[in-house]
């Protein structure tokens, strides 16, 4: 029987925003998730390894019977690197963040495009970037902001370059989004002060980001390709 549901690979689906996305896609897609380690419905691949994204694509394709229709690049790290860190540590931190947040997403997007080309069909890529792409981030997170700005630029390049082949690309830029324990989360993002900067008066729920991701993955009009959606309680409007 032909499977009428789209096949979707979601990276970083084990928790946080990725877990909300897979939850919201349940019954609407055939899913394969991804995390650092193998698990039920999850392919393990450490994206800090430059070869891992390509292996993940192959494994996901096998698990989804040779067809992937939508790629959601959500996995990412937010790791502090102080400006006075020794140069080797500083450079290693930059390389790690760039590898996980940007290069792995690029490698997966590349495979997705080649896959859709080979099959002569279109497809969709949804990239979870960040408000930091436009606004910048803390003094210890330039590399994070740069990786997310790179992701936005990559999204727009894919949209412009491959729309003629029916390949669509979108990005979402969440602001603070409450994943995990509230206290731990707030502490990692600078404490209560962060709320003062959000006109909506609260950080986003992962479910709000997931709703936007699902809409882009399944429903957004093709003419929207290249669009970047902000989800930040008006803490940064552009
Ligand atoms: P999280 O830390 O809760 O989850 C991150 C996911 O990425 C996990 O599933 C983890 O397994 C995966 N991951 C991280 N490093 C990996 C590695 N080396 N190899 C394989 N998988 C790895 O994060 P989250 O808050 O849910 O964030 C999800 C995405 O949203 C990220 O790209 C993040 O940058 C972005 N984002 C989050 C916020 C926020 O405030 N939570 C704001 C803006 C953007």
């Amino acid at each position: 029987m032909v499977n009428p549901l789209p096949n979707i690979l979601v990276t970083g689906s084990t928790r946080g925003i990725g877990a909300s996305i897979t939850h919201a896609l349940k019954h609407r897609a055939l899913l394969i998730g991804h995390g650092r380690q193998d698990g039920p419905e999850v392919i393990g691949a450490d994206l800090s390894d430059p070869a891992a994204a390509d292996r993940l694509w192959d494994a996901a394709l096998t698990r989804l019977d040779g067809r992937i229709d939508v790629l959601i690049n959500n996995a990412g790290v937010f790791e502090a690197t102080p400006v006075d860190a020794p140069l080797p540590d500083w450079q290693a931190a930059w390389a790690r963040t760039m590898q996980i947040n940007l290069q792995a997403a690029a490698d997966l997007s590349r495979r997705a495009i080649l896959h859709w080309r080979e099959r002569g069909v279109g497809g969709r890529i949804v990239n979870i970037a960040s408000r930091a792409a436009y606004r910048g981030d803390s003094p210890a997170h330039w590399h994070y902001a740069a990786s997310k700005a790179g992701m936005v630029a990559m999204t727009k390049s894919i949209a412009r370059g491959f729309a003629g082949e029916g390949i669509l690309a979108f990005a979402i830029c969440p602001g603070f989004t409450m994943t995990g324990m509230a206290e731990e989360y707030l502490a990692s993002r600078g404490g209560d002060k962060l709320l003062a900067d959000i006109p909506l008066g609260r950080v986003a729920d992962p479910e709000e980001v997931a709703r936007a991701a699902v809409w882009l993955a399944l429903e957004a009009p093709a003419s929207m390709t290249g669009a970047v959606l902000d989800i930040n309680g008006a803490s940064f409007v552009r």
Side-chain angles (χ1 to χ4, degrees):
M1 199 182 83
V2 176
N3 158 30
L5 295 175
N7 289 356
I8 302 186
L9 167 62
V10 183
T11 69
S13 65
T14 53
R15 59 184 221 190
I17 291 170
S20 289
I21 292 172
T22 52
H23 182 75
L25 279 168
K26 242 184 184 148
H27 311 302
R28 300 191 68 186
L30 280 187
L31 285 170
I32 190 70
H34 153 262
R36 287 187 180 88
Q37 281 142 14
D38 280 330
E41 311 301 314
V42 168
I43 298 168
D46 180 353
L47 298 178
S48 66
D49 170 356
D54 225 44
R55 282 202 303 265
L56 168 60
W57 181 268
D58 288 331
L61 210 49
T62 302
R63 292 277 284 270
L64 291 172
D65 292 329
R67 195 192 95 215
I68 295 175
D69 304 297
V70 178
L71 165 66
I72 302 182
N73 283 310
N74 165 75
V77 286
F78 180 76
E79 296 171 345
T81 300
V83 70
D84 55 1
L87 181 64
D89 297 352
W90 165 266
Q91 289 185 336
W94 267 81
R96 178 176 154 77
T97 288
M98 285 296 172
Q99 168 59 41
I100 296 170
N101 289 8
L102 182 57
Q103 187 68 57
D107 294 348
L108 286 167
S109 300
R110 171 180 172 274
R111 288 297 303 273
I113 290 167
L114 295 176
H115 172 65
W116 294 324
R117 267 198 176 158
E118 191 185 310
R119 290 177 42 224
V121 299
R124 289 179 181 231
I125 297 171
V126 180
N127 289 323
I128 310 300
S130 169
R131 177 184 70 169
Y134 291 97
R135 183 182 184 260
D137 212 296
S138 86
H141 290 96
W142 323 349
H143 54 344
Y144 177 79
S147 72
K148 295 301 187 177
M151 199 179 215
V152 168
M154 177 177 89
T155 305
K156 293 177 179 180
S157 302
I158 293 170
R160 288 175 54 77
F162 301 94
E165 298 174 61
I167 295 169
L168 312 179
F170 309 96
I172 295 177
C173 285
F176 293 119
T177 306
M178 188 70 81
T179 52
M181 301 297 290
E183 277 172 28
E184 185 191 306
Y185 179 83
L186 291 177
S188 77
R189 262 70 172 179
D192 288 342
K193 267 192 310 197
L194 69 84
L195 291 179
D197 207 22
I198 308 175
L200 190 62
R202 63 170 179 81
V203 300
D205 286 328
E207 292 74 26
E208 293 181 290
V209 181
R211 272 162 57 193
V214 169
W215 184 70
L216 291 174
L218 301 179
E219 292 172 18
S223 291
M224 261 186 75
T225 192
V228 183
L229 298 187
D230 291 336
I231 303 185
N232 65 36
S235 58
F236 189 73
V237 287
R238 60 190 172 88

